[in-house]
Amino acid sequence: MTSLENALSMTVLELSDYDETAEALSQLGRLNKQLAEQMALDIVHHDKGDEHLQASAFETLYSMSLHKGIELIRHPPEHLNSATLSAMIECTTVDSGIAAEHPEVLEAAKILKETIRHLDAAKAHRIKDAIDWFQETYPDI
């Protein structure tokens, strides 16, 4: 591991400033994809930081590994918060154009559609814009 990778990973581990942590994780993803994926999964699975950091960690993971991002949609953490769910919905919506070549994107959309159906009203209202965009993009699933 290079000294830069080490410094970035320490920033992520410290979790002292969530914006700085998210940026360090993103930079680490460009330098050491495997380490960044592990750290992103750790943040989301173990409820580290706030919900916005967890959402950012999911987005970083999804951008580095479509497969791992979709696995997280298939098997979300028990404590899935609104911001992370919104990030999942938005990533899947953005990738609707590649669903024909990547059927796992459509599978993830179906899972998210079911998750949306079971949301309580307060959570659904909080992420209404993401849900509306998703439903416009995937009207037939």
Side-chain angles (χ1 to χ4, degrees), residues 3-73:
S3 60
L4 178 56
E5 290 171 351
N6 190 44
L8 291 169
S9 64
M10 290 306 297
T11 299
V12 173
L13 289 171
E14 288 170 1
L15 295 167
S16 59
D17 176 312
Y18 297 154
D19 290 333
E20 188 177 295
T21 300
E23 180 59 32
L25 183 62
S26 179
Q27 288 180 24
L28 188 59
R30 291 187 285 280
L31 300 171
N32 187 329
K33 181 180 169 185
Q34 184 178 10
L35 179 59
E37 287 174 359
Q38 291 169 351
M39 295 184 103
L41 282 168
D42 183 56
I43 289 169
V44 176
H45 275 299
H46 295 105
D47 201 20
K48 293 185 175 180
D50 66 2
E51 67 176 19
H52 301 290
L53 175 61
Q54 292 167 28
S56 178
F58 173 79
E59 291 168 346
T60 297
L61 176 70
Y62 188 93
S63 71
M64 291 184 297
S65 172
L66 178 67
H67 174 72
K68 288 183 182 179
I70 289 176
E71 272 305 302
L72 199 53
I73 292 170

Side-chain angles (χ1 to χ4, degrees), residues 91-137:
C91 287
T92 306
T93 304
V94 166
D95 278 355
S96 64
I98 66 166
E101 300 89 40
H102 297 277
E104 63 269 27
V105 172
L106 188 56
E107 178 190 342
K110 289 177 182 178
I111 292 166
L112 290 168
K113 188 104 172 188
E114 193 61 28
T115 301
I116 291 166
R117 280 192 194 112
H118 293 96
L119 281 180
D120 64 64
K123 201 171 198 177
H125 180 72
R126 187 162 181 225
I127 60 173
K128 182 184 181 321
D129 291 341
I131 291 172
D132 289 348
W133 183 34
F134 174 87
Q135 290 175 332
E136 288 171 16
T137 303

Side-chain angles (χ1 to χ4, degrees), residues 81-92:
N81 60 60
S82 298
T84 305
L85 176 58
S86 182
M88 290 175 170
I89 291 168
E90 289 172 8
C91 287
T92 306

